[in-house]
Amino acid sequence: MTFLERGRRFLYFWLPIIGGPIAALIFFALGYWLDPFSLKEDKGVAAFFVSVLGLLIGQWWATVVEIQKSTTNSEKVYDAIKNYLHVTPIGSPEEAMRYIADRLPALREVQNTRLNIPDEVERSNEKLYESDIFERLIREIPWHCKRDLIWKDIGDNLALPLFRKLRGEAAGEKSSKYKYKLLSHLEPQMNFILLEYRDGAKEVLFNWDFRSAGQDPTVLISRDRQIVEMFAIHYTMLWRRAAEDHDNQLIKSTSTT
């Protein structure tokens, strides 16, 4: 540590602490020896009150300095949080789907939602669900789920035929790692996909919904721990509230009898 850095450290940290008492001693000495009020025998009392005034001024100064330091530190923390909680645009939903498809071999678990409202079904089919990349993805999901990929879907009745198809194709000798549940919802839900890689890294893709008239969404991605955890908690709540496909189980049981 250089001499200049030590001086700055002293002024920044120690001077506000010892400045008040030092100022009080100086004011006491000056008030006693100079006797500015010509009190003679009572000059000690006057010097005492002057020293108390100096102590109060010193404490006030120390408080102001601490507030300034606290404000500076708060601004630094705020800037750090802004830089840390970052979100990056991927592009269109089709580009985001290609991003996921290209990473399937490196993924350990996927948690996906497919919740639509009637007003957006036509547009989402045109721009996403009828695209070549989506067809590629639904072909590759069962293949990876027969090995070690865990894929969980939450959807509504509009997604039910696709879920049943994926479940049937993912079935093998072992228990399928493809699972889905159904959610009966009246209010719109935001769609998102949680990705967990084999190395433990996690990320979330969101803003998939075609709900703005005349404007297609730009999918966003974040690897920030707090943002990912927020979506993971929401997914867990949806999964607990969603129901099994009992009709499909009933069809299977009747077909085997």
Side-chain angles (χ1 to χ4, degrees):
M1 183 179 295
T2 64
F3 178 79
L4 183 59
E5 290 174 341
R6 290 178 180 177
R8 288 178 178 176
R9 179 179 175 84
F10 176 81
L11 292 174
Y12 189 75
F13 184 77
W14 289 110
L15 189 57
I17 297 176
I18 65 176
I22 292 176
L25 291 174
I26 293 174
F27 282 6
F28 180 84
L30 292 176
Y32 186 83
W33 292 108
L34 297 179
D35 190 16
F37 302 106
S38 302
L39 297 177
K40 297 181 180 180
E41 290 83 8
D42 295 329
K43 63 181 180 180
V45 177
F48 173 78
F49 281 107
V50 172
S51 67
V52 170
L53 178 62
L55 182 61
L56 292 175
I57 294 174
Q59 292 299 316
W60 169 80
W61 179 51
T63 302
V64 171
V65 172
E66 289 299 321
I67 292 175
Q68 290 177 344
K69 288 194 293 185
S70 178
T71 302
T72 302
N73 291 334
S74 298
E75 291 175 351
K76 290 181 179 179
V77 170
Y78 179 71
D79 291 337
I81 291 175
K82 285 198 302 182
N83 294 331
Y84 181 66
L85 300 178
H86 62 281
V87 174
T88 305
I90 287 186
S92 67
E94 189 174 354
E95 291 175 304
M97 198 64 69
R98 183 173 292 105
Y99 176 91
I100 296 171
D102 292 342
R103 284 158 178 78
L104 277 180
L107 292 174
R108 179 69 184 91
E109 182 176 0
V110 177
Q111 296 177 325
N112 177 47
T113 64
R114 189 180 177 188
L115 301 164
N116 302 285
I117 57 176
D119 293 342
E120 69 179 41
V121 171
E122 181 180 1
R123 188 61 174 168
S124 60
N125 286 337
E126 292 174 348
K127 299 291 289 187
L128 181 59
Y129 298 127
E130 295 175 357
S131 63
D132 293 338
I133 186 60
F134 185 75
E135 292 295 329
R136 170 195 161 188
L137 186 63
I138 62 175
R139 286 196 308 268
E140 295 183 0
I141 289 174
W143 189 89
H144 288 281
C145 287
K146 287 181 180 179
R147 287 151 179 82
D148 57 0
L149 174 64
I150 301 172
W151 187 292
K152 298 169 70 175
D153 271 323
I154 297 177
D156 49 24
N157 289 329
L158 294 172
L160 184 55
L162 174 62
F163 291 171
R164 288 177 175 174
K165 176 183 177 181
L166 291 173
R167 177 63 183 268
E169 294 180 356
E173 297 179 358
K174 300 180 180 180
S175 60
S176 174
K177 291 184 173 62
Y178 176 80
K179 301 178 181 179
Y180 70 89
K181 282 188 176 184
L182 302 175
L183 187 67
S184 299
H185 64 98
L186 299 176
E187 70 282 355
Q189 295 280 352
M190 181 172 61
N191 285 298
F192 59 93
I193 300 180
L194 290 158
L195 308 180
E196 180 180 349
Y197 292 86
R198 298 179 185 276
D199 61 359
K202 298 179 181 180
E203 56 191 17
V204 60
L205 289 79
F206 56 99
N207 196 42
W208 294 81
D209 305 287
F210 292 85
R211 293 176 186 165
S212 297
Q215 182 177 358
D216 294 339
T218 298
V219 179
L220 306 173
I221 185 172
S222 178
R223 300 177 182 87
D224 178 79
R225 181 180 59 84
Q226 295 183 17
I227 295 179
V228 172
E229 286 182 357
M230 177 185 66
F231 279 98
I233 291 172
H234 184 56
Y235 191 91
T236 300
M237 295 174 63
L238 292 175
W239 187 262
R240 291 174 179 173
R241 184 177 177 182
E244 300 285 350
D245 183 11
H246 298 295
D247 292 340
N248 191 44
Q249 295 176 359
L250 181 59
I251 293 172
K252 288 183 178 180
S253 62
T254 55
S255 63
T256 56
T257 58

